[in-house]
Amino acid sequence: MNMLSKVALDPVPEGAIDVTPQGSDYETVRRVIEMITLEYRDQPSLEAIAAELGQSPTQLQKLFIRWAGLSPKAFLQAVTLDHAKRLLGQEGLPLLETSYEIGLSGPGRLHDLFVTHEAMSPGEWKARGSGLTIRYGFHVCPFGLALVMVTDRGLAGLAFADPGEERAALEDMMGRWRNAHYVEDLEATAPYVGRVFEREKWSADRPLNIVLIGTDFQVKVWQSLLKIPFGKAVTYSDVACDIGNPAANRAVGAAVGANPISFVVPCHRAVAKNGALTGYHWGLTRKRAMLGWEQGGA
DNA sequence: AGCCAGATGTCTG
DNA sequence: CAGACATCTGGCT
């Protein structure tokens, strides 16, 4: 039913997106999200947004729902500071424990993406991917173009790019494991796109295998992020406490930022203590879009 | 209310 | 080795 899901299944060769109808639709949706994100304080109406883009309000509404799974108005609401604060949980409750408990057993976990992870040994990390073969490919997803990287042990990297910026994204990711051997292989990466972005395929029976390649500290931080339930958020200092180093919240911020498997390791669910959405390696707009998307499907 | 330093782990030049 | 970071706190004006 969802058009996105179908699109996400088919590998799209690099560069092809620009000339397809989906490409221009995506551009429209991207601009709507950007507008809402930048001007959410003014609570722009659907009419105002449509006028700005020279589109009819009804058409724009339909298009947006098809892509984002919720209306522009709902998205606008999901993007406000109040909303992020609400995600942080009831006031007064020790946030981390409550959300983590829910995450382990409660219904909140029902719709979450199940992941089994393994970390690379320190030796492998030092080798910077030497001797490792990494297959990669670009695919369409709700947040633009997804760059997927897999090893024979599972998903190792997930990055995003706007059409035309594939090169930069690829170089950014390749720089993380300089010595690895890279092979473009859309057939290898395509199945992962479906698993990750189609909610219907999320199940506990068949968990997704991911490989965390990083320092000990970074891996600890990423494992902590994996415990945050779908549709919830925690602060950077919550994460610092969880890994047993409450003073290291700044370092946590840096480690969260270095997360190579964005979205799957839900770094977008980490927010500043006051509920503000602070930076995101692949664009703040995208971070808001992800939280909005989770809200829409929750 | 705003400004500033100090703490943390890791990366870059 | 000196900054720079997707932070936060407490102390100062």
Side-chain angles (χ1 to χ4, degrees):
Chain A
M1 74 158 264
N2 187 331
M3 190 181 175
L4 287 178
S5 315
K6 282 186 80 175
V7 173
L9 271 179
D10 301 322
V12 174
E14 186 175 339
I17 182 78
D18 290 311
V19 295
T20 63
Q22 287 92 347
S24 62
D25 279 359
Y26 168 71
E27 177 59 16
T28 304
V29 171
R30 193 190 65 75
R31 288 187 61 192
V32 172
I33 289 175
E34 192 175 65
M35 274 185 72
I36 291 178
T37 284
L38 294 177
E39 299 163 28
Y40 69 91
R41 270 171 260 266
D42 303 333
Q43 300 280 307
S45 67
L46 175 63
E47 286 74 21
I49 296 167
E52 181 76 24
L53 297 184
Q55 310 247 350
S56 100
T58 20
Q59 278 223 317
L60 189 64
Q61 163 108 340
K62 275 192 185 155
L63 176 67
F64 193 87
I65 290 180
R66 199 160 70 235
W67 277 83
L70 72 173
S71 70
K73 172 153 180 141
F75 182 77
L76 172 61
Q77 201 220 325
V79 148
T80 57
L81 189 61
D82 281 351
H83 172 72
K85 284 182 182 161
R86 237 173 293 129
L87 289 184
L88 283 172
Q90 311 296 331
E91 49 181 324
L93 287 177
L95 169 66
L96 203 71
E97 277 109 75
T98 50
S99 42
Y100 281 8
E101 266 170 40
I102 294 167
L104 290 178
S105 55
R109 190 72 185 191
L110 214 54
H111 301 293
D112 215 337
L113 170 62
F114 273 79
V115 163
T116 58
H117 57 264
E118 59 180 287
M120 292 222 131
S121 70
E124 286 174 303
W125 162 242
K126 279 210 203 77
R128 293 262 156 195
S130 174
L132 200 63
T133 296
I134 296 181
R135 298 172 196 286
Y136 70 91
F138 284 93
H139 302 269
V140 177
C141 81
F143 310 111
L145 289 177
L147 169 57
V148 180
M149 292 187 155
V150 303
T151 72
D152 51 9
R153 289 202 258 161
L155 181 66
L158 178 55
F160 295 99
D162 283 325
E165 293 172 4
E166 297 92 344
R167 197 80 244 153
L170 188 57
E171 276 165 17
D172 179 286
M173 292 302 285
M174 281 180 167
R176 299 177 188 227
W177 313 296
R178 271 192 285 286
N179 302 328
H181 177 229
Y182 290 92
V183 186
E184 181 166 27
D185 186 347
L186 292 173
E187 280 183 36
T189 53
Y192 285 89
V193 181
R195 287 294 308 280
V196 169
F197 294 109
E198 291 178 58
R199 208 85 58 83
E200 315 85 69
K201 296 194 178 172
W202 293 4
S203 82
D205 309 337
R206 221 161 45 98
L208 179 72
N209 292 318
I210 65 173
V211 193
L212 300 176
I213 311 179
T215 65
D216 281 354
F217 181 84
Q218 288 172 332
V219 170
K220 266 196 260 177
V221 169
W222 300 336
Q223 286 173 340
S224 181
L225 292 178
L226 282 170
K227 293 191 283 181
I228 309 171
F230 188 87
K232 292 273 181 198
V234 299
T235 67
Y236 293 100
S237 70
D238 289 331
V239 176
C241 290
D242 185 56
I243 63 172
N245 201 343
N249 41 36
R250 180 78 192 263
V252 165
V256 171
N259 167 28
I261 318 181
S262 64
F263 189 72
V264 173
V265 176
C267 51
H268 55 284
R269 295 183 199 150
V271 303
K273 198 140 198 175
N274 63 4
L277 294 190
T278 35
Y280 190 66
H281 188 78
W282 305 107
L284 252 193
T285 298
R286 207 166 255 127
K287 183 169 181 174
R288 291 188 217 268
M290 286 175 188
L291 288 169
W293 184 77
E294 295 194 350
Q295 188 61 22

